[in-house]
Amino acid sequence: MTSWKDPQISYWHAGAPATTIADDLPATAEVVVVGGGLIGSCTAYWLAVRGVKVVLIEQQAPAFGATGRNGGFHVVGTGESYPDTIAKLGHTAAKSIYDLTLQSRALLRQVLAEEQISCEYREAGRMSLALTEAEYAGMERSIAALHADGFAGERLDRAQVQELINTPLGPDILGAAYADEDGLLQPAQFVQGMQAAAKRHGARLCAATVTAVASEGSGVRVTTDRGVVDAGAVVVAVNAWSGRLIPELQSVITPVRGQILNFAPLPPVFRCGVGASVTPTGEYWHQTPEGAIVLGGCRAIAPDGEVGLLAEGTTPEVQSALDGVFPRLFPQLAGLQVARRWSGPMAFTRDFNPIADRVPGVQYAWVAGGFCGHGMPFGMRLGQLLAEAATTDTAPQGMAALSLGRATLKP
């Protein structure tokens, strides 16, 4: 199966070699992983490293969904500010989630070196710009909360922000919150590298569309459009498509379309990843090693906020808003030429934190999803935890904060 049949391929897809998922679908497996994005690929890798006979099933191509259509960030922390997460989930759960992302970064460094995966990974840092006095004050509170738990972070003034951006700042930029070890990468290359490593350790990669997951005897039956696989356990990692395969999750995980573009290469402008709330749903961008600038966000401009949408495609109003981000923030930045526009399927939960737990009503089945546009920080460690869950039929303590039973997920 050849990659990148979608005419609206992302910058990341265009920069990754076409690959195939062509192993024959077996009749049995110890564990089946559904989904060939970040979480599925990491889970399959850790299962294969354990010596488990694992089959990864992907319906399109590696990193076809959100993983290959995102902003290319690999940062630590929670999807919302740390104090907001504490307020929603409690201090213990918020700290556990933050710790999980730190563990994930450590594993990423380790596996990239051990498996010799080339994906442009670099820890260039990330800053979130403050465009109002209220945002700037809120950053001070957030950083204080991080420091209280031993986590890193600092607040920059306007002059310090200017040192990291090689074009004059617009008047709206007051300062920023900064994390100097946050990373950037080429996500499609990363997933391809993880899948290749999983295969070297014995995983099978199969192309099929999974239509049902159900208990069967002392295991699970995975039904696809190309046959049936009976397995000891299954991990469903399809994020925005979770509700289609597991109806009980339709009220928990909501698809949300995100739109992105990239500008043709320019000389270095941004030394790190950057975010800002030009619109209420936020914007984000970074400059790649070849000089291209990938910019996403502005979905608040759409009448429905792009909520509930899985359809591919871009819209004039959101793309026009994206076109206006840099002229507002960096009015002297010249030479911007849009090279590509695309969209990607995110998935949100009510409390802006993902879920990782048993599939309701299906024994030996596990699911992870609802990453709220913030999935990359979880991949390596959560994949390791899901591999443990699938092989022991026990929820690891590290997944406790991501339980489906938490009160903040209820209507």
Side-chain angles (χ1 to χ4, degrees):
M1 180 178 181
T2 302
S3 300
W4 321 146
K5 292 183 178 180
D6 179 5
Q8 242 197 0
I9 64 174
S10 73
Y11 172 82
W12 311 119
H13 292 159
T19 61
T20 57
I21 297 178
D23 290 345
D24 292 334
L25 193 70
T28 62
E30 289 185 271
V31 179
V32 169
V33 176
V34 183
L38 170 74
I39 301 298
S41 299
C42 291
T43 303
Y45 170 80
W46 290 114
L47 285 163
V49 166
R50 283 172 168 249
V52 176
K53 293 180 180 177
V54 56
V55 174
L56 184 148
I57 301 177
E58 163 58 38
Q59 66 176 346
Q60 294 285 354
F64 186 82
T67 305
R69 300 170 186 272
N70 62 29
F73 289 76
H74 193 287
V75 302
V76 300
T78 52
E80 292 187 300
S81 75
Y82 192 50
D84 285 346
T85 306
I86 291 172
K88 284 183 179 177
L89 302 186
H91 186 262
T92 299
K95 187 175 185 301
S96 173
I97 293 171
Y98 207 104
D99 282 331
L100 192 157
T101 66
L102 283 170
Q103 295 160 11
S104 198
R105 182 170 66 190
L107 288 172
L108 177 72
R109 294 166 174 165
Q110 170 191 324
V111 173
L112 291 183
E114 290 178 353
E115 301 293 351
Q116 299 183 22
I117 295 172
S118 177
C119 61
E120 300 178 359
Y121 180 69
R122 66 266 187 217
E123 292 178 4
R126 174 187 57 118
M127 61 181 169
S128 300
L129 303 179
L131 306 183
T132 67
E133 292 289 354
E135 285 181 345
Y136 199 40
M139 288 172 180
E140 184 173 16
R141 291 191 294 272
S142 293
I143 291 166
L146 290 170
H147 288 177
D149 281 340
F151 300 135
E154 60 181 306
R155 193 171 71 151
L156 307 182
D157 61 24
R158 180 181 167 88
Q160 290 171 311
V161 171
Q162 185 66 84
E163 290 176 5
L164 296 171
I165 297 178
N166 296 329
T167 187
L169 306 180
D172 290 347
I173 298 173
L174 305 180
Y178 182 59
D180 65 352
E181 289 190 327
D182 277 350
L184 303 166
L185 48 64
Q186 215 288 16
Q189 291 179 4
F190 170 61
V191 165
Q192 288 182 349
M194 288 298 292
Q195 290 188 5
K199 192 162 185 175
R200 287 195 298 272
H201 288 284
R204 298 178 71 164
L205 311 180
C206 304
T209 297
V210 175
T211 56
V213 172
S215 298
E216 181 69 23
S218 59
V220 183
R221 173 158 291 178
V222 180
T223 303
T224 82
D225 61 348
R226 299 191 177 186
V228 171
V229 184
D230 287 320
V234 64
V235 176
V236 177
V238 295
N239 202 31
W241 288 269
S242 297
R244 291 189 175 183
L245 189 56
I246 304 170
E248 293 85 351
L249 295 184
Q250 289 176 1
S251 63
V252 178
I253 295 177
T254 302
V256 177
R257 183 172 67 186
Q259 298 190 37
I260 313 185
L261 59 78
N262 79 271
F263 296 107
L266 290 173
V269 179
F270 302 106
R271 301 186 193 180
C272 64
V274 189
S277 291
V278 177
T279 70
T281 47
E283 285 63 53
Y284 49 90
W285 63 90
H286 88 260
Q287 192 164 16
T288 71
E290 74 157 0
I293 300 173
V294 178
L295 166 67
C298 292
R299 63 182 180 83
I301 299 300
D304 55 5
E306 304 278 71
V307 174
L309 297 181
L310 261 175
E312 299 164 18
T314 59
T315 59
E317 67 266 27
V318 172
Q319 290 293 318
S320 177
L322 286 170
D323 291 341
V325 169
F326 286 172
R328 173 183 168 183
L329 298 180
F330 313 108
Q332 296 185 42
L333 181 57
L336 293 170
Q337 295 182 337
V338 176
R340 191 180 299 274
R341 301 180 190 270
W342 69 93
S343 66
M346 300 182 288
F348 279 71
T349 64
R350 286 185 181 87
D351 63 12
F352 288 88
N353 287 282
I355 62 103
D357 206 340
R358 295 181 184 273
V359 173
V362 184
Q363 197 171 5
Y364 311 115
W366 301 84
V367 62
F371 289 95
C372 306
H374 192 66
M376 295 301 292
F378 293 91
M380 296 299 288
R381 178 58 175 149
L382 188 53
Q384 193 178 51
L385 291 170
L386 288 164
E388 179 184 340
T391 52
T392 64
D393 194 37
T394 302
Q397 181 58 35
M399 286 180 7
L402 307 181
S403 165
L404 262 170
R406 62 186 189 261
T408 48
L409 293 179
K410 295 183 170 124

